[in-house]
Amino acid sequence: MTAIPGVVFSGSLDGHLRAHSASDGKVIWDYDTVRDYQTVNGVKASGGAIDGPGPVIANGTVLVNSGYTRFGGIPGNVLLAFATD
């Protein structure tokens, strides 16, 4: 998990990255990473389980790895970047 003022980000074994309200725990954002992605270098990429360190947050961008086969998790191989408008 990773926390910033007001929000806690958490990944899950089902491949979802969720943002929870720090005040009451309610889910305020949910993204399912389990899908195929078009990449800038043309390498086939897919999301999977999120079973590692928490997301990195810097300068308004959230970075997270998706795809862990450890403990039978969903395989994948992407680094995803999310930014606010």
Side-chain angles (χ1 to χ4, degrees), residues 35-46 78 80:
R35 63 180 188 89
D36 293 333
Y37 292 89
Q38 185 175 23
T39 63
V40 294
N41 62 0
V43 173
K44 183 178 177 182
S46 60
V78 294
L80 299 171

Side-chain angles (χ1 to χ4, degrees), residues 39-63:
T39 63
V40 294
N41 62 0
V43 173
K44 183 178 177 182
S46 60
I50 301 174
D51 186 21
V56 172
I57 302 170
N59 298 323
T61 302
V62 177
L63 300 161

Side-chain angles (χ1 to χ4, degrees), residues 18-81:
R18 295 178 178 97
H20 300 265
S21 167
S23 62
D24 62 13
K26 289 183 181 177
V27 175
I28 55 177
W29 180 76
D30 184 347
Y31 184 83
D32 185 358
T33 69
V34 181
R35 63 180 188 89
D36 293 333
Y37 292 89
Q38 185 175 23
T39 63
V40 294
N41 62 0
V43 173
K44 183 178 177 182
S46 60
I50 301 174
D51 186 21
V56 172
I57 302 170
N59 298 323
T61 302
V62 177
L63 300 161
V64 65
N65 287 317
S66 177
Y68 289 85
T69 57
R70 191 180 216 179
F71 308 118
I74 304 166
N77 63 337
V78 294
L79 171 65
L80 299 171

